[in-house]
Amino acid sequence: MPYKFYGGVHPPTFKTLTLDRPIKRVFIPKRVIIPLLQHTGSPSEPIVTVGDAVKVGAVIAKPTGFISSTIHASISGKVTRIAYSPTRMASRILSVTIESGDEDQEFKVERSGDPESLSKEELLGIIKKAGIVGMGGAAFPTQAKLSPPTGKIIDNVILNGVECEPYLTCDHRIMLEKTKEILKGLEIICKIVGAKNAYIAIEDNKLSAIYAMEKAILTTHNSQLNTKLVVLRTKYPQGAEKQVIKSILNLTVPAGGLPMDVGCIVQNVGTAFAIYEAVYFGKPLIERCVTITGSSVKEPVNLWVRIGTLLSDLVDCFGGFSKEPKKIIVGGPMMGLAQYTMDIPITKGISGIVFFSKDEIGESKESVCIRCGRCVEICAMGLAPIALMYRVKKENFKEAKELGIANCYECGACAYICPAKIPLLDYMKFGKAKIS
Amino acid sequence: MSRKNTSIGLYEVRKGENKLGVGSNMEESLVISIGPHIKDRLSTKKIMWAVTLSLIPAGIAGIFIFGINSLFTIVVSILTAIATEAIILAMRKKDINAVFDGSAVLTGLLLAYNLPPQVPLWMPIAGSFFAIAIGKQVFGGLGHNIFNPALTGRAFLMLSWPIYMTTWQNSRWSMDAITTATPLALYKYKEFDLLRNVSHWNLFIGNRGGCIGEVCIVALLIGAAYLFFKKYITWHIPITYIASVAVLSWAFNGRSVLFTGDALFFLLSGGLVLGAFFMATDYVTSPLGARGKIVFGIGCGVMTFLIRKFAGYPEGTSYAILIMNAFVPIIDRYTFPKWFGWRKG
């Protein structure tokens, strides 16, 4: 039986829209715009110039530091432009545009020896070369996460298939369709960090994924690794790193610390699959699974999308719109970012796009706080959002810091639950930006 | 939206101009905001009306027990509350629609429930006006008041016209037509012979003298169960409040010997159930966190006991809650939640 974490909310999930839609690989764009900062950390440095011909999977930018990532061409073609372009973030980011003619767009598998016999360092090298980042949303470079400083012993690897964000089903579909591959990826992760215990965390609303994973664990026998499937209660934000560790191992990551402080590493299931593909087929991270859903989408789908594909080019893949979209959210509706344009490229950290029509926007007028205490009750980090809100409003950032505003990871549960519709998350973000 | 439009948008991007896809009408009307992009359906208005709804059984019971006068008191009290709120909101140049958020209705209703059934009709008018004007709007309206408005109104009436506020009427079918005192008053003035007629069952169904809304315990419990079921209130305040009153009464309210008190009698008589479930739990005037709520509940219980036992009044629920309201900021400060992974130093 899993442990519990404090707080949490139960938003309606709407996952049935895309739950039974297999991930389709239907569309290779004629043009991609690949931002050179798709990950957390420092931007990558381009090594191609305008006019260069590139092949699919070729490196177009190299990392500029420890926390950075390699970036590859996701289609074959010509580099036509290197300039600042809009991305899902508010700011424009230096991006490489590749346009293709009639080149072969299939990636050639290049297997480098027996994957089972590779050493720890070689595996890390492959992951670094493949430009793999966390696929859950934060896009933290995986090789940096998998190289803990000496002295930190990692006992447990947790594979995060929780997917607590409403609407999104890409992790669920990957777990269903690539079950064995994910387990292979998990083995590689455990080998790199030297962990003995592996846990796969899935929320109890994904029964088919639980069943598939259980079956795969039983059939693939590995004597070195103690793999366990943990079914967690459906609750938001169950999938957050600190909460998932608390739920599975009952360990509390110290405030301001990292999972490795309690001997854990958490990786998304999508990341495990990308690692498997990189190690077994030498395939860099040039495509990812994206859920496209929402009330105004005609046919909600799960798609394999080449990195850099513009959202506006994908319109045909989901059959257009049944209602006029009023809000485009990249990511889930809880933590996602609203966009001002459709011309944004799909990047490594985008797990879903949600289109809301007029009915779902739910713009409600902010009223005064009635001190109901719900935000305090549900904050998974044990903060008092309303107290922080007053401090930030009065620009008393010093006190806000003392009350732990830095611990907020912006899950948005407080603003979700607030009956007075106070935009608490806005205040949290503003306060956090001011103290850093 | 057609494909043509988006390609115009793309063209804009390629030119590198600082235009945001003007080719498409859709993109001009996109809503941008910080998440979460979905919100819970619960609203302040919904909570207030739900609490009002949960109080209706007790009101019906009160009207049934004391007669139609009680209904007039309730209606007058609510109407005064709404009118006062509307006038003051207009004077403060605020949105008049805030009248319909249910909080004024709730205050009026709770004030009426805290009045004896036979009061003249100008009493609820005066009380309701005071509750809204001085108890609530002077502090800045909903969410800013320190003291429970309904109880502030009751305290005002109690201090100004104590005779009216302590003249009781028995239930319509009571055998004992002469005795017009609440069971707690009988206990206070040591009328133990008369008390013998008051059974626990009669207290439970409300066959006794008392305020309109406080007498019928079973109706109040139905309303409280609804609030618990809908998660509008948590156990922290009511349970600790009632438990501390029960323990203290059992320990110290016996006849000369410790630990022989009739705890159930003290729970069922007076306004404890109404106060614990519906007034001490008032969001605005109770602590934010769970630990603070427990401290608040125990504080209310101790205060109620002390007033009942040692003060001049037979009943202490309303003053106990008002006194503890004043302590809420300090309780909040010392029971501030410790965040996840908190370490000393």
Side-chain angles (χ1 to χ4, degrees):
Chain A
M1 197 51 206
Y3 300 94
K4 276 184 191 170
F5 71 88
Y6 175 87
V9 293
H10 299 272
T13 63
F14 294 103
K15 284 184 194 278
T16 43
L17 286 172
T18 49
L19 198 79
D20 48 354
R21 303 294 168 92
I23 316 173
K24 286 192 291 186
R25 191 182 266 109
V26 288
F27 175 69
I28 290 166
K30 285 275 170 228
R31 172 185 39 236
V32 290
I33 297 177
I34 304 173
L36 298 179
L37 180 62
Q38 306 183 19
H39 46 266
T40 311
S42 55
S44 311
E45 196 185 304
I47 58 167
V48 289
T49 48
V50 175
D52 286 3
V54 288
K55 277 205 100 84
V56 57
V59 177
I60 56 168
K62 62 179 200 304
T64 54
F66 179 61
I67 302 178
S68 188
S69 182
T70 316
I71 289 167
H72 304 79
S74 54
I75 59 169
S76 304
K78 244 191 186 138
V79 177
T80 54
R81 181 171 170 267
I82 300 176
Y84 286 86
S85 291
T87 60
R88 67 162 165 159
M89 313 297 185
S91 57
R92 288 171 174 236
I93 287 169
L94 193 65
S95 310
V96 174
T97 307
I98 302 171
E99 283 179 55
S100 72
D102 45 7
E103 291 96 338
D104 182 17
Q105 300 295 352
E106 277 310 302
F107 179 74
K108 301 282 180 302
V109 172
E110 35 186 282
R111 216 167 155 156
S112 53
D114 180 21
E116 313 272 338
S117 62
L118 289 170
S119 74
K120 197 180 133 178
E121 286 71 28
E122 284 169 320
L123 287 169
L124 260 181
I126 292 173
I127 289 172
K128 190 173 179 184
K129 224 181 84 196
I132 293 172
V133 299
M135 308 278 271
F140 191 81
T142 303
Q143 94 277 355
K145 206 174 190 177
L146 292 181
S147 5
T150 41
K152 295 269 183 209
I153 297 158
I154 307 292
D155 298 317
N156 310 298
V157 170
I158 295 171
L159 208 52
N160 190 346
V162 172
E163 200 169 50
C164 57
E165 271 279 359
Y167 284 94
L168 305 187
T169 55
C170 61
D171 286 357
H172 186 171
R173 286 313 303 184
I174 284 197
M175 284 192 285
L176 269 182
E177 293 172 26
K178 310 284 179 192
T179 321
K180 292 236 166 77
E181 291 86 341
I182 288 169
L183 287 177
K184 283 264 196 287
L186 176 61
E187 274 173 31
I188 296 165
I189 296 168
C190 290
K191 194 172 166 186
I192 291 172
V193 297
K196 288 276 164 291
N197 304 309
Y199 300 90
I200 301 166
I202 307 179
E203 264 185 351
D204 58 8
N205 63 355
K206 300 174 185 59
L207 286 177
S208 53
I210 293 166
Y211 178 73
M213 205 48 100
E214 187 87 70
K215 218 167 92 181
I217 291 171
L218 288 175
T219 49
T220 49
H221 178 69
N222 186 331
S223 54
Q224 266 120 55
L225 199 61
N226 174 23
T227 310
K228 247 172 104 180
L229 178 70
V230 191
V231 180
L232 301 176
R233 292 203 309 156
T234 301
K235 185 157 114 175
Y236 182 88
Q238 182 73 265
E241 242 175 18
K242 292 181 176 184
Q243 270 60 45
V244 90
I245 292 170
K246 173 81 184 160
S247 298
I248 293 179
L249 299 161
N250 206 13
L251 293 172
T252 303
V253 179
L258 291 168
M260 62 177 73
D261 294 337
V262 291
C264 290
I265 270 188
V266 183
Q267 286 288 1
N268 183 267
V269 285
T271 319
F273 178 65
I275 289 173
Y276 161 82
E277 285 208 312
V279 171
Y280 280 74
F281 304 112
K283 186 178 173 184
L285 189 55
I286 54 166
E287 61 180 2
R288 70 153 299 146
C289 177
V290 179
T291 303
I292 296 179
T293 180
S295 57
S296 51
V297 171
K298 215 173 240 165
E299 298 162 25
V301 280
N302 286 302
L303 295 173
W304 286 109
V305 180
R306 293 281 170 105
I307 302 297
T309 309
L310 290 180
L311 181 55
S312 45
D313 285 343
L314 284 170
V315 170
D316 288 341
C317 301
F318 53 84
F321 299 109
S322 54
K323 284 182 243 167
E324 194 195 2
K326 279 280 176 201
K327 203 177 212 178
I328 303 171
I329 302 153
V330 164
M334 293 296 281
M335 283 184 82
L337 301 168
Q339 300 299 319
Y340 61 78
T341 170
M342 288 273 284
D343 296 322
I344 50 147
I346 303 291
T347 55
K348 293 175 182 178
I350 294 181
S351 45
I353 317 269
V354 185
F355 292 91
F356 276 167
S357 68
K358 208 166 78 226
D359 317 327
E360 278 78 23
I361 299 177
E363 276 184 340
S364 34
K365 225 176 104 206
E366 177 185 348
S367 59
V368 70
C369 171
I370 53 163
R371 290 173 48 86
C372 70
R374 278 183 174 78
C375 53
V376 184
E377 218 171 275
I378 57 86
C379 180
M381 291 307 284
L383 302 170
I386 191 61
L388 295 173
M389 186 274 267
Y390 282 129
R391 301 310 191 283
V392 173
K393 221 174 186 173
K394 301 227 162 72
E395 305 203 352
N396 190 348
F397 301 112
K398 194 171 149 271
E399 228 171 279
K401 197 176 178 182
E402 279 161 18
L403 296 179
I405 196 170
N407 293 298
C408 170
Y409 55 76
E410 302 170 15
C411 74
C414 49
Y416 168 79
I417 203 80
C418 181
K421 312 294 173 199
I422 299 170
L424 288 161
L425 186 59
D426 298 27
Y427 290 107
M428 298 298 127
K429 286 191 173 185
F430 181 64
K432 279 179 74 183
K434 280 283 173 189
I435 61 157
S436 62
Chain B
M1 195 185 81
S2 71
R3 296 275 294 135
K4 194 173 149 232
N5 283 346
T6 53
S7 59
I8 294 169
L10 263 178
Y11 177 66
E12 300 287 343
V13 175
R14 207 186 315 167
K15 275 203 301 188
E17 286 173 6
N18 198 11
K19 279 185 186 172
L20 316 174
V22 256
S24 150
N25 288 330
M26 180 198 88
E27 293 181 348
E28 279 174 12
S29 64
L30 284 180
V31 177
I32 314 288
S33 69
I34 289 182
H37 306 287
I38 49 175
K39 299 241 165 136
D40 200 30
R41 274 196 229 111
L42 192 64
S43 64
T44 304
K45 203 170 166 178
K46 216 167 161 181
I47 295 172
M48 292 296 173
W49 285 111
V51 177
T52 308
L53 180 71
S54 74
L55 280 164
I56 286 176
I60 293 172
I63 296 162
F64 190 66
I65 291 165
F66 296 121
I68 199 72
N69 263 2
S70 313
L71 178 65
F72 298 148
T73 307
I74 293 171
V75 170
V76 166
S77 180
I78 290 175
L79 290 180
T80 313
I82 293 173
T84 313
E85 176 107 336
I87 291 166
I88 295 182
L89 282 175
M91 279 165 60
R92 290 177 62 215
K93 300 193 173 56
K94 300 272 175 182
D95 184 10
I96 300 277
N97 284 325
V99 168
F100 303 107
D101 66 11
S103 63
V105 174
L106 186 57
T107 299
L109 188 67
L110 277 173
L111 177 78
Y113 280 16
N114 276 296
L115 297 177
Q118 278 298 31
V119 288
L121 281 184
W122 55 265
M123 287 278 285
I125 293 175
S128 228
F129 174 79
F130 190 88
I132 295 287
I134 310 294
K136 186 176 164 192
Q137 290 293 348
V138 158
F139 291 96
L142 179 64
H144 298 297
N145 49 306
I146 300 169
F147 300 103
N148 187 315
L151 290 179
T152 315
R154 178 188 148 92
F156 163 72
L157 294 179
M158 195 81 179
L159 293 172
S160 310
W161 300 284
I163 301 293
Y164 288 116
M165 290 297 285
T166 48
T167 307
W168 308 99
Q169 174 203 351
N170 249 331
S171 62
R172 286 187 296 163
W173 52 83
S174 176
M175 314 245 273
D176 195 357
I178 312 153
T179 318
T180 51
T182 61
L184 278 177
L186 294 177
Y187 177 82
K188 187 95 189 174
Y189 307 119
K190 305 220 177 335
E191 307 267 9
F192 296 118
D193 293 340
L194 289 170
L195 260 185
R196 222 165 277 143
N197 299 333
V198 184
S199 70
H200 285 160
W201 173 249
N202 275 339
L203 289 176
F204 188 64
I205 60 164
N207 189 9
R208 64 158 165 110
C211 295
I212 296 168
E214 72 177 25
V215 289
C216 186
I217 306 296
V218 59
L220 286 168
L221 288 180
I222 289 169
Y226 169 75
L227 290 183
F228 272 116
F229 176 71
K230 297 288 267 179
K231 296 197 174 128
Y232 291 139
I233 58 174
T234 55
W235 60 270
H236 302 91
I237 292 172
I239 301 301
T240 50
Y241 188 172
I242 288 173
S244 49
V245 169
V247 168
L248 288 169
S249 306
W250 169 67
F252 300 111
N253 272 355
R255 303 252 194 99
S256 72
V257 197
L258 281 181
F259 306 115
T260 55
D262 182 357
L264 197 57
F265 169 79
F266 290 98
L267 298 190
L268 296 177
S269 46
L272 180 63
V273 174
L274 177 67
F277 286 104
F278 298 95
M279 290 190 294
T281 54
D282 173 33
Y283 289 147
V284 181
T285 55
S286 64
L288 279 172
R291 287 193 302 156
K293 283 178 176 161
I294 290 171
V295 172
F296 180 81
I298 293 172
C300 285
V302 172
M303 277 305 186
T304 304
F305 169 76
L306 289 177
I307 293 170
R308 281 181 180 181
K309 181 90 178 159
F310 299 111
Y313 295 110
E315 168 58 316
T317 309
S318 57
Y319 284 116
I321 295 172
L322 282 173
I323 290 167
M324 287 313 290
N325 283 163
F327 283 99
V328 165
I330 207 164
I331 292 174
D332 264 347
R333 172 169 296 184
Y334 286 104
T335 57
F336 203 79
K338 290 279 169 282
W339 56 78
F340 188 90
W342 185 83
R343 284 173 299 186
K344 211 169 181 177

